[in-house]
């Protein structure tokens, strides 16, 4: 029987609750956003005692469904001031699902201001003092807990979360117990830090597993989706993602003139090829004497897109260096040194900060004259300052918007105070509409229109066509259900291009919950998730006026195409305006 595990950090107590009927079908983002909307005052201070953190695995997480080990984390964001769902692929998600913990809710704050460890086992959870872990990096914290507990999933915050910095994320262990998978965006690590929760260990020994209401339907759907993932060029074994990782996009976006460079002052970087996924693959081949294909971040992933960047001796510096990370700490800072980017990735993981937010922030600091573009050692030093909590470190650790004010910079690439990811919205209009209107702030994963605009998935669209409000909304709504299903977003390529894979995805989910869902239900549920999040944001003060890109994008033409942001405010307002009309 599924339960909600509620942890009260004020009293130091835990309790299991029955799942209210209204949440029975929900999981993942649908559940985290609904619980946050129901239980958190939109006007609360995100770092105060009345904010809550909700951890929820997806509908099919913990089953045999491929690429479905996703955990959603929700709360009010200290970065955007609105609702936040950020998800990660991790064994922690599978363990939570198999233990029947539909949602883990963390609330309150300890009166003694100390650090605590939450230990979760079958039918038992407790809070323990964690003075020995306080102030430690995420790698050391995870290593210590794995050494003590053995085969467990680990979640923790690094020093940035303990300092309550708005760029802090929540770390989860990967398949090799690396502290490398992050619910990174929106500062949820600061919320966890504000609750004195340094870490969580979860052990699913003896767990009953995930009940499946209609096994035949589930199995039928699972096979269809699996077949789609294993045949699509982007997701199949030794396909683009398995070979080159998400960093395959560096060369593609650079060619398209949409790779933000030197703090969003150009869409093309002369050193892009040096930090691209193909370069990582060829370099590893040379270092290891054989081809190295990528690995899975979490149990059951058949796409396996996680790369490894190695030093000159072939030893791992960091894994994984995603496209967003390689871009943020590379081209966006004028840096083309792959090993340095990997070192900064490791530092961000250890300190516990979002790599996108940090790369964007260092780019703003470079623009503001704190250090020159391309200054590798200066960038590393800034990250180290974040980990130490020095005044400059706290400026950087609070994100691009905060740093923009500190350094008097007007070219600040944020929406709702969250840094833009690695796609220049002036050069790729649909993703710009997603950045502007998403309930999450600037977030490519909220509605990844790059698929048709750049990758040609589900047809190829003109990247410069500004009339994409409908497209962005359709992607945002479908994505809300992907984030609910527990699948990695990268199944999107197969489900968009292969009708049977899409059918399989819906059937899997329907099989687990025992529903007769169709594609119409995907959009209905997606609408419901977005409506819930939008209402929360409006009550928090984030209405239409917050659905805008920064002004400089309207008057600064972006090389090499010399394009400006030209999507009308009316079009932007129409994206969520349709929810009022429904
Ligand atoms: S596709 Fe990549 S990010 Fe997604 S679950 Fe697999 S390894 Fe992790």
């Amino acid at each position: 029987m599924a339960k909600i595990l509620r942890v009260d950090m004020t009293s130091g107590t835990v309790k299991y609750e029955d799942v209210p009927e209204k949440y029975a079908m929900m999981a993942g983002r649908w559940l985290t956003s609904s619980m946050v909307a129901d239980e958190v005052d939109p006007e609360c201070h995100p770092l105060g005692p009345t904010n809550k953190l909700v951890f929820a695995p997806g509908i099919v997480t913990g089953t045999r469904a491929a690429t479905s080990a996703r955990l959603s984390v929700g709360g009010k964001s200290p970065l955007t001031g609105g609702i936040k769902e950020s998800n990660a692929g991790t064994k922690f998600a599978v363990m939570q699902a198999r233990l029947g913990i539909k949602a883990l809710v963390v609330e309150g704050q300890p009166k003694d201001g100390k650090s605590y460890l939450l230990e979760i086992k079958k039918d038992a959870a407790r809070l323990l003092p964690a003075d020995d872990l306080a102030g430690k990096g995420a790698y050391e914290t995870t290593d210590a807990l794995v050494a003590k507990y053995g085969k467990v999933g680990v979640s923790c915050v690094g020093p940035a979360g303990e300092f309550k910095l708005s760029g802090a994320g929540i770390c989860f262990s990967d398949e090799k117990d690396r502290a490398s998978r992050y619910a990174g965006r929106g500062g949820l690590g600061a919320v966890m830090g504000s609750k004195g929760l340094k870490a969580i260990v979860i052990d699913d020994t003896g767990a009953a597993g995930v009940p499946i209401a209609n096994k035949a339907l589930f199995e039928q759907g699972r096979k269809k989706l699996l077949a789609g993932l294993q045949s699509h060029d982007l997701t199949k074994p030794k396909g683009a993602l398995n070979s080159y990782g998400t960093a395959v996009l560096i060369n593609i976006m650079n060619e398209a003139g949409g790779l933000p460079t030197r703090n969003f002052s150009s869409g093309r970087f002369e050193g892009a090829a040096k930090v691209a996924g193909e370069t990582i693959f060829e370099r590893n081949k040379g270092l290891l004497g054989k081809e190295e294909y990528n690995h899975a971040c979490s149990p059951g992933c058949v796409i396996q897109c996680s790369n490894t960047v190695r030093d000159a001796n072939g030893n791992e510096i960091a894994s994984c260096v995603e496209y967003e990370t390689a871009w943020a700490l590379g081209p966006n800072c004028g840096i083309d040194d792959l090993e340095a980017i990997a070192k900064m990735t490791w530092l961000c993981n250890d300190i516990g900060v979002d790599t996108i937010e940090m790369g964007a922030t260092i780019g703003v600091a470079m623009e503001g004259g704190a250090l020159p573009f391309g200054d590798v050692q200066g960038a590393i030093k800034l990250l180290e300052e974040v980990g130490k909590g020095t005044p400059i470190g706290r400026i950087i650790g609070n994100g691009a918007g905060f740093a923009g004010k500190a350094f008097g910079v007007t070219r600040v690439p944020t929406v709702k105070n969250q840094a833009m990811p690695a796609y220049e919205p002036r050069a790729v209009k649909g993703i710009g509409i997603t950045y502007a209107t998403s309930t999450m702030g600037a977030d490519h994963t909220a509605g990844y229109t790059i698929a048709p605009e750049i990758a040609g998935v589900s047809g190829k669209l003109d990247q410069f066509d500004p009339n994409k409000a409908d497209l962005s909304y359709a992607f945002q709504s479908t994505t809300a259900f992907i984030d609910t299903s527990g699948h990695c977003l990268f199944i999107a390529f197969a489900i968009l291009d292969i009708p049977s894979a899409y059918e399989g995805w819906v059937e899997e989910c329907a099989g687990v919950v025992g529903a007769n869902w169709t594609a119409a239900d995907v959009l209905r549920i997606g609408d419901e998730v977005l409506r819930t999040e939008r209402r929360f944001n409006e009550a928090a003060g984030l209405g239409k006026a917050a659905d805008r890109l920064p002004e400089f994008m309207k008057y600064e033409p972006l090389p090499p195409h010399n394009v400006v942001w030209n999507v009308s405010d009316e079009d932007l307002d129409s994206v969520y305006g349709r929810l009022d009309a429904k």
Side-chain angles (χ1 to χ4, degrees):
M1 191 72 169
K3 296 281 180 189
I4 289 171
L5 174 58
R6 196 173 289 272
V7 179
D8 183 345
M9 300 301 299
T10 308
S11 63
T13 57
V14 304
K15 64 177 173 183
Y16 288 89
E17 299 172 352
D18 291 338
V19 177
E21 184 59 32
K22 72 175 284 196
Y23 298 145
M25 300 285 243
M26 296 184 187
R29 178 174 168 186
W30 191 10
L31 183 57
T32 62
S33 288
S34 297
M35 291 189 79
V36 170
D38 289 344
E39 297 193 16
V40 175
D41 179 353
E43 295 183 355
C44 79
H45 195 296
L47 301 179
T50 59
N51 195 9
K52 301 190 184 189
L53 271 182
V54 183
F55 299 70
I59 292 172
V60 299
T61 304
T63 70
R64 293 180 64 223
T67 313
S68 67
R70 220 71 195 174
L71 188 73
S72 290
V73 188
K76 177 169 173 174
S77 165
L79 187 70
T80 69
I83 201 164
K84 175 59 63 178
E85 185 268 359
S86 187
N87 61 66
T90 168
K91 65 171 96 172
F92 189 108
V94 170
M95 291 185 176
Q96 184 176 333
R98 285 177 39 76
L99 285 168
I101 301 171
K102 198 170 177 72
L104 161 65
V105 183
V106 182
E107 54 194 35
Q109 284 175 337
K111 294 181 191 126
D112 60 10
K114 292 194 168 178
S115 295
Y116 288 87
L117 167 70
L118 174 63
E119 182 190 278
I120 304 173
K121 296 182 177 174
K122 182 173 178 282
D123 302 327
R126 60 178 178 161
L127 282 167
L128 299 166
D131 300 331
D132 55 326
L133 298 175
K136 293 205 181 330
Y139 285 106
E140 190 178 349
T141 300
T142 301
D143 288 350
L145 291 171
V146 169
K148 181 175 177 187
Y149 285 93
K151 289 188 179 175
V152 289
V154 177
S155 173
C156 69
V157 291
E162 295 174 80
F163 296 144
K164 297 175 235 173
L165 303 178
S166 293
I170 298 178
C171 180
F172 294 94
S173 52
D174 78 353
E175 281 296 80
K176 286 199 171 168
D177 297 320
R178 296 181 188 92
S180 63
R181 309 311 303 190
Y182 266 83
R185 307 235 64 198
L188 291 179
V191 180
M192 189 157 153
S194 78
K195 304 207 168 294
L197 187 58
K198 173 67 180 176
I200 308 169
V201 285
I202 190 163
D203 180 349
D204 67 348
T205 304
V210 177
I212 298 174
N214 184 339
K215 289 197 173 107
L217 183 62
F218 168 78
E219 204 42 38
Q220 174 179 302
R222 186 187 74 77
K223 286 178 182 159
K224 284 188 196 170
L225 177 57
L226 180 62
L229 292 172
Q230 291 187 318
S231 61
H232 194 283
D233 282 345
L234 292 176
T235 57
K236 68 187 180 186
K238 299 193 178 179
L241 286 170
N242 186 227
S243 303
Y244 307 130
T246 53
V248 70
L249 281 157
I250 291 269
N251 283 334
I252 294 170
M253 289 309 303
N254 198 48
E255 184 60 29
L259 184 73
T261 298
R262 295 185 182 86
N263 191 32
F264 288 72
S265 60
S266 174
R268 197 164 278 168
F269 180 51
E270 67 282 0
K274 292 188 187 170
V275 302
E278 296 90 329
T279 302
I280 296 171
F281 183 82
E282 291 302 326
R283 190 171 177 275
N284 285 351
K285 194 162 119 184
L287 289 169
L288 301 173
K290 60 178 183 185
E291 290 179 338
E292 179 182 52
Y293 289 90
N294 295 329
H295 57 270
C297 71
S298 49
C301 177
V302 297
I303 302 173
Q304 304 194 355
C305 79
S306 298
N307 65 15
T308 307
V309 174
R310 300 176 179 280
D311 65 17
N313 297 318
N315 297 318
E316 176 178 319
I317 304 174
S319 173
C320 165
V321 180
E322 303 279 10
Y323 165 61
E324 305 293 334
T325 300
W327 156 79
L329 301 166
N332 191 55
C333 296
I335 290 172
D336 63 6
D337 179 337
L338 189 58
E339 288 196 22
I341 291 168
K343 177 165 186 196
M344 287 190 275
T345 305
W346 190 94
L347 269 175
C348 286
N349 287 348
D350 197 46
I351 295 162
V353 278
D354 174 23
T355 54
I356 296 174
E357 196 67 43
M358 286 306 96
T361 307
I362 293 169
V364 167
M366 288 172 162
E367 171 115 15
L371 68 172
F373 283 108
D375 181 355
V376 170
Q377 293 312 318
I380 290 173
K381 177 96 176 23
L382 276 185
L383 289 174
E384 289 170 345
E385 298 292 321
V386 177
K388 291 179 195 156
T390 60
I392 181 68
R394 288 172 190 258
I395 290 172
I396 300 298
N398 271 310
F402 196 95
K405 287 187 178 152
F407 293 110
V409 174
T410 54
R411 190 188 291 129
V412 180
T414 60
V415 178
K416 302 182 179 81
N417 201 43
Q418 179 166 284
M420 287 182 191
Y423 309 92
E424 233 300 345
R426 283 168 287 185
V428 197
K429 308 294 185 187
I431 201 70
I433 297 172
T434 296
Y435 288 172
T437 59
S438 161
T439 49
M440 298 294 141
D443 180 354
H444 60 301
T445 69
Y448 193 65
T449 59
I450 293 299
E453 293 186 285
I454 299 291
V457 171
S458 72
K460 181 75 173 78
L461 299 178
D462 174 6
Q463 69 189 74
F464 302 110
D465 179 359
N467 299 306
K468 296 192 183 115
D470 293 346
L471 178 81
S472 174
Y473 185 80
F475 270 74
Q476 291 190 50
S477 181
T478 305
T479 301
F481 192 81
I482 294 177
D483 294 341
T484 294
S485 73
H487 282 291
C488 175
L489 180 62
F490 298 144
I491 71 159
F493 303 117
I495 66 175
L496 287 170
D497 269 343
I498 305 171
S500 60
Y502 187 101
E503 275 169 28
W505 169 54
V506 180
E507 286 167 1
E508 269 182 358
C509 295
V512 170
V513 300
N516 295 313
W517 285 342
T518 65
D521 292 292
V522 168
L523 296 177
R524 172 184 61 79
I525 292 167
D527 283 356
E528 183 182 328
V529 174
L530 296 181
R531 186 180 286 110
T532 299
E533 293 170 350
R534 180 74 177 183
R535 295 291 174 264
F536 184 98
N537 280 359
E538 286 169 348
L542 295 175
K544 283 182 195 173
D547 290 349
R548 302 290 183 262
L549 294 193
E551 186 193 19
F552 78 88
M553 291 190 165
K554 289 187 186 172
Y555 60 73
E556 278 188 15
L558 178 80
H561 298 296
N562 296 318
V563 280
V564 294
W565 178 245
N566 60 346
V567 177
S568 70
D569 290 352
E570 290 71 30
D571 268 10
L572 293 178
D573 293 343
S574 77
V575 175
Y576 277 79
R578 73 196 62 207
L579 282 175
D580 298 326
K582 281 186 184 177

